[in-house]
Amino acid sequence: MRRAWTPDQVRACETPLLDAGQGDALMSRAAAGLANVCATELRERYGHVYGSRVLALVGKGNNGGDALFAACRLARRGAHVTVLLCAGRAHPAGLRAVRALNIDVRELDESDDDVLRFLLCAHLVIDGIAGTGARAGLPDRLGELVRRWRGRKPGRQLVVAVDVPSGVDAGTGQTGGSAIAADVTVTFAGLKTGLLIPPAARNAGRVEVVDIGLELADEQAVVLAVEASDVAALWPAPEPSDHKYSRGVLGLVAGSARYPGAAVLAADAAVSAGVGMLRYVGPDTPGGLIAQRSPEVVAGAGRVQAWALGSGVAPDEESQVDAIRAALDEAIETQLPCVLDAGAFDLIYGPLGMPAILTPHAGELATLLGRLSGTIVSREEIEADPARHAKSVAEAANAVVLLKGAHTVISQPAGPDYVQGPATAWLATAGSGDVLTGVLGALAATAGRKSLPQLAELAALGSFVHGQAALLASQGGPLRSLHVAAAVKYAVTELRVRAREEKNVGQWQL
Ligand SMILES: NC(=O)C1=CN([C@@H]2O[C@H](COP(=O)(O)OP(=O)(O)OC[C@H]3O[C@@H](n4cnc5c(N)ncnc54)[C@H](O)[C@@H]3O)[C@@H](O)[C@H]2O)[C@H](O)CC1
Ligand SMILES: [K+]
């Protein structure tokens, strides 16, 4: 599991060490780790550190201090380093250290053209403008220069951000008018929440964590991300004694004559994800199509352990809307977990009475926000701060909210958020969401877990595996949702087999 902490949590952890006079030691470890990553990246991209042109953008705080000491280390290894002071002043000891090495130190009072020339000619730009002490957005002139640089940046140029890309809010993940877009972010002690949360997560590039001797407690992390090594342990696997009913039955109310495909895709995905049994509730079209493609599926209502409701159901499909309403009533009585999508959102007016995962995209989340809390927000506003808006709906609906997008944000009323990064942009195609509903439904039915924190973890797991299945289906090219549904089986299998091989254990032990 990837874990991230807020800047406040990191600072609280740092305070005792600073009080004990360890500040310089922390910065020196941070700078050493940063310089090592820079050197490795330079060698990989250009073959050498010696002779490479390095530009360090340096702000007035400790983030700039890290960049200055790292610049010294690179200069000692033969790099041609230029320091650009972006705020007039800078970390005093760091500045003394670069001056002692005769490193070229410039200020922002150079002309725009000169600054741009430095930016465009460097092999490597180190972004030490601001770190955890920063607000979103860069000051006006700097912001404008960074925008112009981004527009003309040479493809091979490397940008390494110190701790967080400058211009992003390290806590909330918001970006201001302009922000640095890094290839690599070298972060200290542990991930900051803004490195996982979109839109800032997009600016971070690959994130490398450098150990500087701070201990952040795993259980206090507030943003998590499921990764490949988690899947074997988290994916609900059958016991030798299981049968189809004990394994978990999913009820699916989805699709309509107008949108039959949604039901076919959700059903295919649920079967592919290894549900004990799937009961499809709905009209002959798409029922007949499902039966043709997945003969395992049983038609008609019956006992289930979870419901997946709403994909491909329009508000005027009365019989399907009634079936969703009946399923929700039953779920409230028996506390069955429900996965709600598309047409099911129209039936949500307040806190839900059963454990549920809602799977809106930004437009649907905006509608839900308006209905549940009277807040009018646009799709764009949601995309600028998805974690906050997902949390508002999670609280108002008392449910897990999985907000679909390139990054998937999973929020719950009380407990950590999860953010799953994009697997492949080819997943931006019709039917992706229906496949996800099927996967989540299968997980809810087979996991036997019902608390909202448990459902949030399942939602993150389902989202991650959905992405892995998309990678298998895509292989770097276009994909069909039907193939993503089929690939869910292979994604889970591959990750389980890999874990077994790594742990060298038998087939029932994971
Ligand atoms: N956590 C640790 O143990 C360590 C952290 N290190 C590094 O220190 C920074 C945090 O340093 P701090 O001095 O608190 O703040 P910043 O350098 O991030 O910001 C300083 C300064 O910048 C101005 N500012 C605010 N917003 C912006 C902006 N958007 N653009 C430009 N300038 C801005 C503001 O006036 C601030 O006061 C942490 O990230 C690490 O890199 C250590 O060195 C290692 C130990
Ligand atoms: K930075």
Side-chain angles (χ1 to χ4, degrees):
M1 194 76 74
R2 295 181 88 197
R3 296 182 167 80
W5 293 264
T6 64
D8 283 347
Q9 287 177 307
V10 177
R11 265 191 292 274
C13 187
E14 179 192 23
T15 306
L17 291 173
L18 294 182
D19 291 346
Q22 302 249 331
D24 291 349
L26 289 180
M27 189 173 280
S28 154
R29 283 176 215 148
L34 171 62
N36 280 341
V37 174
C38 290
T40 305
E41 292 292 321
L42 278 171
R43 262 196 311 271
E44 272 174 17
R45 194 162 294 194
Y46 299 104
H48 49 86
V49 179
Y50 190 90
S52 53
R53 285 186 300 278
V54 174
L55 176 68
L57 304 176
V58 172
K60 65 181 169 191
N62 289 329
N63 194 256
D66 298 336
L68 287 168
F69 285 113
C72 290
R73 287 175 177 267
L74 292 170
R76 280 195 220 102
R77 293 172 76 161
H80 291 303
V81 180
T82 302
V83 165
L84 185 64
L85 301 181
C86 299
R89 54 202 171 81
H91 188 273
L95 201 50
R96 277 197 301 277
V98 294
R99 291 209 196 278
L101 290 179
N102 285 325
I103 288 173
D104 184 21
V105 179
R106 307 280 176 141
E107 299 215 18
L108 260 194
D109 56 10
E110 314 258 348
S111 71
D112 282 8
D113 284 348
D114 283 345
V115 175
L116 272 175
R117 195 159 38 79
F118 285 127
L119 283 165
L120 293 168
C121 291
H123 294 109
L124 164 70
V125 177
I126 300 176
D127 157 33
I129 300 170
T132 51
R135 303 168 301 273
L138 292 169
D140 288 349
R141 170 144 184 266
L142 191 56
E144 184 50 34
L145 283 166
V146 165
R147 255 193 302 275
R148 287 175 62 189
W149 165 45
R150 279 184 72 169
R152 294 167 53 189
K153 182 180 164 301
R156 286 189 82 205
Q157 186 178 55
L158 270 164
V159 180
V160 175
V162 184
D163 210 17
V164 293
S166 302
V168 310
D169 183 312
T172 65
Q174 284 174 278
T175 52
S178 62
I180 299 283
D183 298 293
V184 183
T185 295
V186 180
T187 200
F188 308 123
L191 265 66
K192 316 300 172 300
T193 43
L195 295 174
L196 287 183
I197 301 173
R202 287 200 290 272
N203 292 61
R206 197 183 83 236
V207 180
E208 296 255 351
V209 180
V210 167
D211 176 9
I212 56 167
L214 292 186
E215 291 294 332
L216 293 160
D218 280 1
E219 62 282 3
Q220 284 173 12
V222 293
V223 181
L224 310 175
V226 166
E227 53 190 352
S229 56
D230 299 315
V231 173
L234 293 180
W235 195 267
E239 299 290 329
S241 58
D242 261 327
H243 50 78
K244 64 188 175 193
Y245 296 114
S246 65
R247 171 83 179 117
V249 180
L250 173 68
L252 174 67
V253 185
S256 53
R258 209 180 322 156
Y259 304 114
V264 177
L265 289 166
D268 225 46
V271 171
S272 180
V275 72
M277 191 167 101
L278 178 64
R279 295 184 189 277
Y280 175 68
V281 180
D284 291 348
T285 306
L289 295 170
I290 294 176
Q292 231 170 27
R293 236 195 102 72
S294 304
E296 309 89 336
V297 179
V298 173
R303 257 197 95 192
V304 298
Q305 275 72 53
W307 285 103
L309 305 166
S311 305
V313 176
D316 59 350
E317 307 275 350
E318 274 176 34
S319 68
Q320 284 294 72
V321 173
D322 287 347
I324 294 173
R325 203 173 276 120
L328 289 173
D329 288 344
E330 183 200 324
I332 291 172
E333 238 167 71
T334 51
Q335 286 302 292
L336 286 185
C338 292
V339 178
L340 307 188
D341 188 29
F345 298 147
D346 294 332
L347 302 179
I348 304 175
Y349 288 93
L352 288 162
M354 83 296 285
I357 304 172
L358 319 186
T359 61
H361 52 61
E364 290 167 331
L365 193 87
T367 309
L368 278 166
L369 253 179
R371 184 153 3 101
L372 295 177
S373 56
T375 317
I376 306 301
V377 285
S378 65
R379 195 190 173 98
E380 291 70 32
E381 284 169 304
I382 286 177
E383 282 163 357
D385 197 0
R388 182 164 68 89
H389 294 300
K391 179 72 94 189
S392 300
V393 173
E395 285 168 355
N398 191 35
V400 172
V401 170
L402 179 153
L403 174 56
K404 292 184 276 206
H407 281 79
T408 302
V409 176
I410 294 139
S411 195
Q412 54 179 323
D417 287 347
Y418 293 79
V419 179
Q420 299 304 139
T424 163
W426 291 105
L427 202 45
T429 185
S432 285
D434 307 323
V435 171
L436 180 64
T437 298
V439 173
L440 297 178
L443 282 170
T446 54
R449 295 187 244 148
K450 291 183 181 177
S451 76
L452 291 184
Q454 289 168 335
L455 288 185
E457 187 183 72
L458 283 185
L461 174 66
S463 168
F464 177 78
V465 166
H466 182 240
Q468 294 300 298
L471 284 173
L472 287 178
S474 156
Q475 303 285 329
L479 54 71
R480 307 182 55 176
S481 292
L482 215 44
H483 293 169
V484 178
V488 169
K489 177 247 175 307
Y490 297 102
V492 175
T493 305
E494 189 180 300
L495 291 165
R496 284 174 49 81
V497 168
R498 201 194 298 171
R500 274 208 303 268
E501 282 169 1
E502 275 164 18
K503 295 198 172 158
N504 199 19
V505 295
Q507 70 161 322
W508 295 112
Q509 288 171 266
L510 264 179

